[in-house]
Amino acid sequence: MQRQITIGLTLVGAALLVAGCHTDMWQQPKVKAQQKSEFQGFSNKAASRPLVAGTVPRGKMKLDEAFFTGFQDGKLVKELPIQVDEMVLKRGQERFDIFCSHCHGRNGDGKGMINQRGLVLVRPPASYHSDRLRNMPIGHFYDVITNGFGVMYRQAPGVEPADRWAIAAYIRVLQTAMNGNLNDVPSDERSKLEASAGKPSIADAATPGEEKS
Amino acid sequence: MPQLFKPSANTLAKLSVILAGLLPVVVLYAGVTVSRSPYNTKVDIPIDQPIPFSHQHHAYELGIDCRYCHTTVEKTAIAGVPPTETCMSCHSQIWTNSPLLEPVRKSYETGLPIAFADGSPGWTKVNAVPDFVYFDHSIHIDRGINCNVCHGPVNKMQITWKGNDFQMRWCLECHREPEKYLYTDAANPNLSGREQVFNLYMKLQEGAKLTQREYNMLYKNEFRYSPNTKEIEEGKALVKKYGVTKESNVDCYTCHH
């Protein structure tokens, strides 16, 4: 009798221990971002669904045509629709370095790493330092980031509208810097520049190339 | 009737009592060892993927910023695997005939996720936490935690593997004592935590000399400040600067809401 009780208790104890080994909380019947869904209605099996066409998040209606398209009344906007300060330009530089520089180059001369590695590109990335792009209304840069241009794909999914304008503003900075001379530098900064004369700088590396488009 | 047991049986009997006492310890030790070994955690084991994507080539050699592909890492909980369109941004122009990239082109044509040649879908997830853990990338980036601290030397990985076991014990090491782990570049102390993360990769690109701690942080995962040193005071100052709330860091609901 005692033996049977011992065996019985052991089995109950083992069952309790094994019951602890389950994973239903580790893999819950919910979907997280970018997970797979077995739902039959989703033909590409992606759990994250695209927004239904025409969806407007509350308070996010894109009413400002110039800000969201780069066009005003069918024409490229010539003025930035945002206030520019140092923060915006720094943000623009950061976003430019992330999203644009590997093709267009850190200084915008179109000689980024992909261009160097692409051997012979049929249509190499544009340099911003051509007359065509120097004279282009600023809305053009917003439009190209949003919709792409030539063989360049749109970069809209990764770059929010405000950041696109910040990048556009930074492109103007690059264009100005590349065509600047010593007289553009504030007098108190000139001595620093002259001290570093002879050392390689971003402007030395630049050779504005011809635009092919 | 002869004796059933030889005198040596006494020794065996005593030994078996001792061994029986040790058995639970051995079983526990073996269990812990197996559960923490790469056999279970998959740490340091390169994972087979539809495309042998090299982070070393793209992020380190070409210098493409992490955020070009993982666009939401600073803003949301997930870092985000890029859409096929991101790959095609460049690969519609270079390596356009590479057989290795066939899954990318196929995905772009059909709108279906990138799949193995045999049709089995998708990238194999390398880093995952259980569904009851609510991890958020953005807050960690904001506190200046470098990608490599958790993910291992990603910028040197030809095929991606898991850099740490992601067990709770490991999370808590840092959550209990963040002052040992926080980092700032001594030459650029004014950068925010977020900027510190990517500034370090920029330094790599520019070929700047790394400090020993930076090197260990990126590649060795051994960069803890020791207690009672001058450095740990710097760490405590960083806890304050980054606004790390040590008390809520170890609350259960911080990660398990």
Side-chain angles (χ1 to χ4, degrees), chain B residues 79-115:
Chain B
V81 178
T84 306
E85 187 182 337
T86 304
C87 313
M88 290 297 283
S89 282
C90 295
H91 288 296
S92 61
Q93 297 301 309
I94 53 177
W95 297 110
T96 47
N97 294 316
S98 167
L100 290 177
L101 294 172
E102 180 57 27
V104 179
R105 295 190 291 271
K106 202 169 167 192
S107 163
Y108 193 64
E109 271 167 35
T110 57
L112 296 172
I114 284 173

Side-chain angles (χ1 to χ4, degrees), chain A residues 44-152:
Chain A
N44 65 1
K45 302 280 181 218
S48 311
R49 308 310 304 168
L51 292 178
V52 176
T55 308
V56 179
R58 182 172 286 266
K60 296 276 177 67
M61 182 84 170
K62 294 180 174 175
L63 291 172
D64 189 341
E65 189 193 347
F67 182 78
F68 285 107
T69 66
F71 286 90
Q72 184 78 57
D73 306 323
K75 280 186 186 150
L76 288 166
V77 297
K78 291 199 166 84
E79 296 277 323
L80 273 177
I82 53 169
Q83 283 288 324
V84 182
D85 55 22
E86 198 187 344
M87 291 299 286
V88 169
L89 292 181
K90 282 208 163 134
R91 176 82 181 169
Q93 178 177 25
E94 182 188 291
R95 295 292 120 176
F96 180 89
D97 285 349
I98 299 172
F99 290 98
C100 318
S101 66
H102 42 266
C103 287
H104 290 286
R106 285 258 152 87
N107 54 12
D109 62 0
K111 296 200 171 76
M113 186 56 95
I114 305 302
N115 193 4
Q116 293 173 35
R117 297 290 291 248
L119 306 178
V120 185
L121 289 182
V122 184
R123 295 187 60 180
S127 160
Y128 301 130
H129 311 300
S130 64
D131 283 341
R132 183 181 78 89
L133 285 181
R134 261 197 297 267
N135 299 325
M136 195 60 94
I138 198 156
H140 173 73
F141 300 104
Y142 182 93
D143 180 50
V144 171
I145 299 170
T146 312
N147 299 315
F149 182 85
V151 296
M152 173 182 154

Side-chain angles (χ1 to χ4, degrees), chain A residues 26 28 34 94-95 154, chain B residues 74 81 85 131 134 194:
Chain A
W26 289 61
Q28 298 166 16
Q34 300 194 321
E94 182 188 291
R95 295 292 120 176
R154 65 180 178 146
Chain B
E74 307 170 313
V81 178
E85 187 182 337
D131 280 356
Y134 293 84
R194 187 181 69 83

Side-chain angles (χ1 to χ4, degrees), chain A residues 195-209:
Chain A
S196 68
K199 292 178 193 161
S201 71
I202 198 169
D204 292 334
T207 41

Side-chain angles (χ1 to χ4, degrees), chain B residues 115-145:
Chain B
F116 284 94
D118 66 0
S120 58
W123 298 97
T124 313
K125 207 166 165 53
V126 177
N127 301 289
V129 287
D131 280 356
F132 50 77
V133 178
Y134 293 84
F135 177 81
D136 193 311
H137 274 94
S138 63
I139 187 79
H140 290 86
I141 295 282
D142 214 50
R143 302 303 190 249
I145 309 294

Side-chain angles (χ1 to χ4, degrees), chain B residues 9-83:
Chain B
N10 284 339
T11 319
L12 272 179
K14 283 176 194 161
L15 200 63
S16 65
V17 168
I18 297 171
L19 283 180
L22 280 177
L23 189 67
V25 179
V26 172
V27 168
L28 269 178
Y29 181 77
V32 168
T33 309
V34 170
S35 86
R36 290 181 181 184
S37 72
Y39 172 78
N40 179 45
T41 61
K42 306 284 182 280
V43 169
D44 291 349
I45 299 177
I47 309 278
D48 199 21
Q49 302 285 6
I51 302 154
F53 178 84
S54 166
H55 277 93
Q56 172 172 338
H57 177 62
H58 289 87
Y60 184 72
E61 291 167 11
L62 298 181
I64 298 172
D65 196 288
C66 308
R67 296 165 286 182
Y68 182 67
C69 299
H70 305 294
T71 48
T72 54
V73 72
E74 307 170 313
K75 298 181 285 197
T76 68
I78 62 158
V81 178

